[in-house]
Amino acid sequence: MKRKPTIVLLLLISSLFFKNIVVAQALYPVSIDEKIQQSSLIVEGQVVEQTPFWNAAHTMIFTSNKVKTYKVFKGAVVINYIDVMTQGGTIDNIVMGATELLELEKGHVGIFFCYPNTIHLLSPVSGKLLFDVYSSSQGFFNYDLQKQSANAPFVRYTDIENQVYPELQQKTGRAFENLDPSFKVSSFAPVINGVLAPGITGFSPTTVNAGALSDAGTNLLTINGSAFGTATGSAGISFDDANDGTGGAAWFVPANSSLIVSWSATQIQVRVPSRAGTGTFTVTDNLGAASAASSTLNIKYSILNLTFGAAPEERMFNLMNNNGSGGYSFVYSTSTAGSGVDFSTSAQKAPFERAIATWKEVCGLNYINAATTTSQSIAAATAPNIIMLDNTNTGVPVLPSGVLASCYYSGGSCTGNLNSQSPGFDILIRNSGVSTGAVNFNNGPCKTSIAIAEFDMESVLLHELGHSLGLGHINDSYIGGWPNVDPGKLMNYSIVNGVDRRSPDWSCYTGALYCINPRGLNYGGCGATEMIPLVATPESKDNCPLTFPSVATPTGTSVLFDLNHATSDKTIDPQYTGINCTATGTGITNNAYYAIKTGAAGGSTVVTVSGYTTTPSTQAACGAGVELALYQVSTCPTAQTFPAPVACRTFNANGALATFTGLAANTNYLLMVDGISNTRANFTLTLTGAALPAKIIQFSGTANNTKNYLQWKIENLFAADKVILESSIDGIVFNETATQYINSTNIILDGNYNDYFIAPVKYYRLKIVTLSGTVEYSNIIVIKQNSKGTDIVISPNPVKNKMTVSFFKNVKGNTTFKLLDVSGKQIMAESFLLTAGQQSHQINLADGLAAGVYVVEIWNDGICSSHKIIIN
């Protein structure tokens, strides 16, 4: 597959994060000591000019960022400017960018940890060798002058002058050289929430989808307040930057941005940008006064955007039918040149294929493997969609210290059309000995080790593939501490090392569906069509059920669970301390639910596991398995506030689990299962025991002139004492007709009886009596001796206060009973639902009816049956 020359490219680097030993998407933390040691120049400065340019091969755009230097902490500056290289930029209608591989904007100010770039790129303006930033996005401490703070991935300083400056001077062993005394951080402190500052009184909606520009209902934010000023000068909105995590650097949307829909003194409407993460936001007026919202803006998911033109203009990332088979083809690079590795035989191939199978099977992502290539070039317009390990022939610098993997993706549009297209992606994975720095990876299906601070390759690649299909970062981090950690959401800025997140959460799942499913957009004259999704296989019990059973769950009920295709959802799931009985906490990654109701006896229930398999099959030997929690609730509890479970179990093989005892009678329970360390298992749970009623397989009867012949079959008669056949001539008062005693438990009981005491119409039911004396009844069947005549019989007749309507034809569906007096006036009406095989329905007459003759109408499927009755 070749990329069209008009296509735009953006580069994305993702990260993984954890305190103490931390990673962020595909980043791991680099210490300030390492940054200082490996940097030849450390300066404070501001980006004042940006010049994008093509490399010599015309495959990648880089940008020369002219930085005015204010202070020097290490090295020397000949003049008060340096040129810093970043990957990406805009030339004509082609855009290339890099998130978290350091993305600078004009006006950015902060600390730069610099060293000469390793691919020998020269500034197109000065002709000098460009500086690169050591550890990429971690090597730029981005100033927030409103807050007087400095931030980078894993870096938080709340006071620049009293924290950043002293630490750098202490660690470099020298005082900084002040090149521009007029620049003083403290002089930029604005009036926050002052008398003249803007005031935010509210905003809506409170939950949005960042970057989902084609869906204004979930993306357009309306901010109400006062003193917002005019859309000029320094006016704009600052969102919590999801690429830097909660509370870090802000992502600023200036008032003249294409994302601003309207701006007045009392109301602002803005399309929430892709970079916005869950957190507070701030409005700054045209004079520099600022005010923060008093509550949090929640981001459900983020969609990557492309920035076009000098204006600039934000556009969405759209998946296309690029290969003619509905989606995209990708290839494995087999070249070992430039210290490369043949990916088709590498240890990283298996976790990559597990990750891509997850996106395909759960969400329908249409990606196809198209064999191999010897190419190693990452390019905007000509390279295939390559999966490879880092090497020196990619045309970009090797992955810097702190980076685990990256996903390169592209986008463009036809001339004059605003809907962007993505022609493909490349994924570059860390290669020991080539990439700067060293880390440990877990490439296998078993639990990632905490002891050696492993990073799970499958989790990293699942995240990177999420970027390839158009998902951006969100803020929704891990909870807890080792070893009891909930890993948080897949596309969050921070994912924990030593913890596995191999299944999508509901945020990225719904975001992926938004990206994958066709939007029906017009792409101009390019002849492009949108992606055709594959058929997905989601777990039907992925979420807590909306309704709980109103009748008892029969003993012997079997339920199939598919945790291979299950997700997790914090807006539905219990808190991470709420699914084990010690409340110590555990990861919640891929779960499913099933609600049951006990019978009249209550007591014990046995859960038996069968058909246990894992994906991949080798994961079964890892021993992690599945955790099960049982809650005594009648509806789904509020998310993250589940009650303590009444019972907990774990399993990793077939067999009966320890018995659940002491279950209350006639009570609902919720069963939840979740993969331990993201185990992806399929299995069936069969529920038996005295707490659940017996299962009646068959109960039927036939008329034979001189007798009625009854037969039945019942399974799983746990703790049952006897089965009684009862009969009635009016369907209301039943009497014992025959009794069958139970000699053992868990048997299949076959029974039959010839009733010679016949009547024109007779009613029968089964009564199951347990050893404790509790009773459960079967449905009622009706036998009519004379098969000729009416298909509906009402008994008794005369009637006093209760009657039974019996059906002798195969009817089902909505049925209506109407009672009329002899003049045709309707006295009462009642609707009920007939199910297949149902033969009778009891009706309670209204109180105070006068004795006399009445007319009954039975309506079913538009057909009316009329009958006369006498009320005593």
Side-chain angles (χ1 to χ4, degrees):
M1 184 270 294
K2 297 292 184 180
R3 295 180 182 162
K4 299 175 183 178
T6 58
I7 290 305
V8 184
L9 176 76
L10 275 108
L11 167 68
L12 178 73
I13 303 298
S14 64
S15 46
L16 292 172
F17 178 69
F18 196 14
K19 288 184 178 179
N20 298 324
I21 304 177
V22 205
V23 291
Q25 266 73 297
L27 300 183
Y28 63 91
V30 177
S31 69
I32 190 170
D33 294 312
E34 180 181 339
K35 296 172 191 175
I36 291 172
Q37 182 180 4
Q38 298 298 325
S39 300
S40 58
L41 180 68
I42 303 173
V43 300
E44 177 188 71
Q46 182 173 22
V47 178
V48 295
E49 185 178 320
Q50 294 183 301
T51 306
F53 64 96
W54 285 103
N55 63 356
H58 208 77
T59 56
M60 288 287 293
I61 295 175
F62 295 85
T63 294
S64 173
N65 298 272
K66 185 176 182 180
V67 176
K68 182 179 181 180
T69 53
Y70 299 134
K71 296 177 180 62
V72 179
F73 294 87
K74 182 179 180 180
V77 175
V78 177
I79 58 176
N80 285 16
Y81 294 93
I82 63 170
D83 294 312
V84 173
M85 179 201 77
T86 54
Q87 298 185 43
T90 301
I91 297 179
D92 298 325
N93 195 38
I94 299 178
V95 181
M96 303 171 67
T99 63
E100 296 191 337
L101 194 70
L102 185 56
E103 182 178 352
L104 294 173
E105 297 283 334
K106 188 175 180 180
H108 272 174
V109 58
I111 301 292
F112 296 81
F113 294 81
C114 302
Y115 69 106
N117 82 85
T118 58
I119 56 174
H120 310 296
L121 290 178
L122 304 179
S123 168
V125 178
S126 66
K128 295 180 180 179
L129 186 67
L130 289 165
F131 283 104
D132 203 346
V133 176
Y134 188 80
S135 68
S136 195
S137 59
Q138 295 187 59
F140 170 60
F141 291 0
N142 188 6
Y143 286 1
D144 185 331
L145 295 175
Q146 288 186 341
K147 298 179 181 178
Q148 302 286 288
S149 64
N151 302 277
F154 318 114
V155 174
R156 297 288 184 266
Y157 292 98
T158 58
D159 188 330
I160 297 170
E161 292 185 344
N162 294 309
Q163 292 178 342
V164 179
Y165 294 170
E167 182 174 15
L168 286 175
Q169 291 179 109
Q170 186 271 326
K171 289 184 178 294
T172 59
R174 55 172 273 189
F176 64 75
E177 181 182 357
N178 196 350
L179 301 180
D180 187 350
S182 67
F183 177 81
K184 190 172 183 180
V185 169
S186 57
S187 67
F188 289 87
V191 177
I192 301 293
N193 295 328
V195 175
L196 300 179
I200 301 173
T201 58
F203 60 90
S204 65
T206 56
T207 298
V208 297
N209 298 324
L213 304 182
S214 68
D215 186 4
T218 64
N219 176 254
L220 183 66
L221 180 68
T222 299
I223 307 169
N224 296 310
S226 60
F228 291 150
T230 60
T232 59
S234 58
I237 305 170
S238 300
F239 295 91
D240 204 335
D241 188 354
N243 282 7
D244 190 29
T246 302
W251 184 255
F252 185 68
V253 177
N256 63 353
S257 167
S258 64
L259 294 173
I260 301 295
V261 175
S262 63
W263 187 297
S264 73
T266 58
Q267 186 181 87
I268 301 169
Q269 287 191 312
V270 58
R271 297 191 181 278
V272 178
S274 174
R275 290 283 288 268
T278 294
T280 58
F281 63 88
T282 299
V283 173
T284 302
D285 67 15
N286 52 299
L287 300 177
S291 179
S294 60
S295 57
T296 297
L297 175 67
N298 298 303
I299 306 296
K300 183 178 180 182
Y301 59 77
S302 172
I303 304 300
L304 293 172
N305 291 167
L306 307 176
T307 304
F308 286 81
E313 181 180 6
E314 299 295 320
R315 301 182 191 174
M316 282 191 45
F317 183 96
N318 297 299
L319 295 177
M320 311 303 294
N321 177 7
N322 185 266
N323 59 6
S325 296
Y328 297 86
S329 299
F330 62 89
V331 295
Y332 299 140
S333 176
T334 59
S335 177
T336 59
S339 300
V341 175
D342 182 349
F343 193 85
S344 67
T345 60
S346 70
Q348 291 81 4
K349 178 185 176 183
F352 173 80
E353 293 190 338
R354 293 196 297 269
I356 204 165
T358 296
W359 282 118
K360 292 169 70 173
E361 294 171 14
V362 175
C363 299
L365 181 65
N366 195 336
Y367 282 1
I368 300 171
N369 182 214
T372 62
T373 181
T374 57
S375 173
Q376 296 173 303
S377 177
I378 291 176
T382 58
N385 303 314
I386 304 176
I387 314 302
M388 61 181 165
L389 285 119
D390 198 12
N391 60 82
T392 59
N393 291 333
T394 62
V396 298
V398 297
L399 293 178
S401 182
V403 178
L404 296 175
S406 62
C407 174
Y408 294 73
Y409 64 94
S410 55
S413 62
C414 294
T415 302
N417 188 278
L418 299 182
N419 294 320
S420 63
Q421 307 166 38
S422 171
F425 61 93
D426 301 303
I427 292 181
L428 189 63
I429 304 167
R430 188 171 188 80
N431 185 3
S432 178
V434 177
S435 308
T436 307
V439 296
N440 297 316
F441 276 121
N442 170 34
N443 293 307
C446 293
K447 177 177 171 56
T448 304
S449 172
I450 294 173
I452 59 174
E454 281 186 330
F455 305 137
D456 183 55
M457 179 61 72
E458 185 176 346
S459 300
V460 171
L461 293 175
L462 191 69
H463 178 98
E464 297 303 323
L465 283 165
H467 286 310
S468 79
L469 64 86
L471 294 177
H473 292 156
I474 60 171
N475 287 339
D476 198 319
S477 190
Y478 66 91
I479 304 173
W482 287 326
N484 308 113
V485 179
D486 186 358
K489 294 182 180 177
L490 178 68
M491 300 311 296
N492 178 56
Y493 161 78
S494 55
I495 300 174
V496 188
N497 63 308
V499 176
D500 304 304
R501 167 50 92 177
R502 301 167 181 173
S503 296
D505 58 84
W506 194 252
S507 168
C508 65
Y509 171 74
T510 52
L513 294 182
Y514 177 83
C515 292
I516 294 168
N517 291 329
R519 300 192 181 103
L521 302 178
N522 180 357
Y523 295 91
C526 294
T529 59
E530 295 175 332
M531 175 176 279
I532 302 172
L534 301 174
V535 177
T537 55
E539 162 60 81
S540 60
K541 298 174 292 301
D542 211 356
N543 295 321
C544 189
L546 295 176
T547 59
F548 279 49
S550 58
V551 297
T553 304
T555 294
T557 296
S558 293
V559 187
L560 175 64
F561 289 94
D562 178 10
L563 298 190
N564 184 35
H565 300 112
T567 65
S568 62
D569 184 358
K570 285 186 177 180
T571 66
I572 293 175
D573 294 338
Q575 63 278 19
Y576 86 112
T577 56
I579 63 172
N580 62 29
C581 290
T582 59
T584 53
T586 183
I588 302 178
T589 52
N590 53 321
N591 51 61
Y593 298 83
Y594 191 77
I596 64 172
K597 185 175 183 179
T598 56
S604 62
T605 295
V606 176
V607 176
T608 302
V609 182
S610 61
Y612 184 90
T613 59
T614 61
T615 302
S617 59
T618 52
Q619 194 178 52
C622 300
V626 176
E627 52 197 347
L628 181 154
L630 189 69
Y631 304 94
Q632 184 178 331
V633 292
S634 56
T635 59
C636 290
T638 302
Q640 303 299 300
T641 59
F642 274 52
V646 298
C648 304
R649 302 288 185 269
T650 60
F651 59 91
N652 55 22
N654 294 331
L657 306 182
T659 301
F660 297 133
T661 59
L663 301 187
N666 298 314
T667 301
N668 283 119
Y669 289 87
L670 178 64
L671 184 152
M672 174 189 172
V673 290
D674 184 81
I676 301 172
S677 299
N678 216 155
T679 296
R680 295 155 59 107
N682 286 46
F683 51 89
T684 296
L685 298 184
T686 301
L687 288 71
T688 55
L692 303 178
K695 187 175 184 179
I696 299 175
I697 304 300
Q698 177 195 8
F699 180 37
S700 60
T702 57
N704 187 14
N705 294 326
T706 61
K707 65 179 181 180
N708 291 335
Y709 177 67
L710 288 304
Q711 61 184 139
W712 55 88
K713 184 175 184 178
I714 310 174
E715 286 187 351
N716 302 312
L717 285 159
F718 280 86
D721 179 40
K722 56 188 174 182
V723 175
I724 300 172
L725 175 67
E726 294 185 335
S727 62
S728 169
I729 61 171
D730 61 6
I732 297 172
V733 178
F734 283 84
N735 298 299
E736 182 175 331
T737 301
T739 300
Q740 187 175 21
Y741 287 92
I742 311 301
N743 296 320
S744 62
T745 59
N746 198 25
I747 63 172
I748 299 176
L749 180 68
D750 289 295
N752 60 79
Y753 183 76
N754 289 307
D755 184 8
Y756 292 95
F757 296 94
I758 60 175
V761 177
K762 202 164 184 180
Y763 303 83
Y764 296 91
R765 70 184 183 189
L766 294 174
K767 177 181 179 180
I768 303 171
V769 183
T770 68
L771 291 169
S772 62
T774 59
V775 172
E776 293 167 356
Y777 290 99
S778 72
N779 62 307
I780 297 173
I781 65 172
V782 187
I783 300 177
K784 185 172 67 169
Q785 273 293 318
N786 184 1
S787 60
K788 296 179 181 180
T790 181
D791 291 320
I792 299 177
V793 172
I794 297 176
S795 62
N797 192 6
V799 62
K800 188 172 183 180
N801 54 19
K802 182 183 292 186
M803 67 173 61
T804 299
V805 182
S806 302
F807 301 88
F808 297 94
K809 63 178 181 178
N810 185 21
V811 295
K812 61 181 180 179
N814 292 320
T815 304
T816 300
F817 162 88
K818 293 182 179 180
L819 182 66
L820 314 174
D821 64 18
V822 290
S823 69
K825 179 182 178 182
Q826 180 174 306
I827 306 300
M828 64 172 289
E830 178 181 323
S831 295
F832 51 92
L833 180 67
L834 286 176
T835 59
Q838 183 177 348
Q839 291 185 274
S840 64
H841 180 77
Q842 287 189 344
I843 294 173
N844 295 318
L845 297 180
D847 294 334
L849 290 177
V853 178
Y854 291 80
V855 177
V856 169
E857 291 182 352
I858 305 295
W859 291 83
N860 179 270
D861 195 24
I863 299 174
C864 177
S865 174
S866 182
H867 311 263
K868 284 187 178 182
I869 66 168
I870 298 174
I871 296 180
N872 289 333

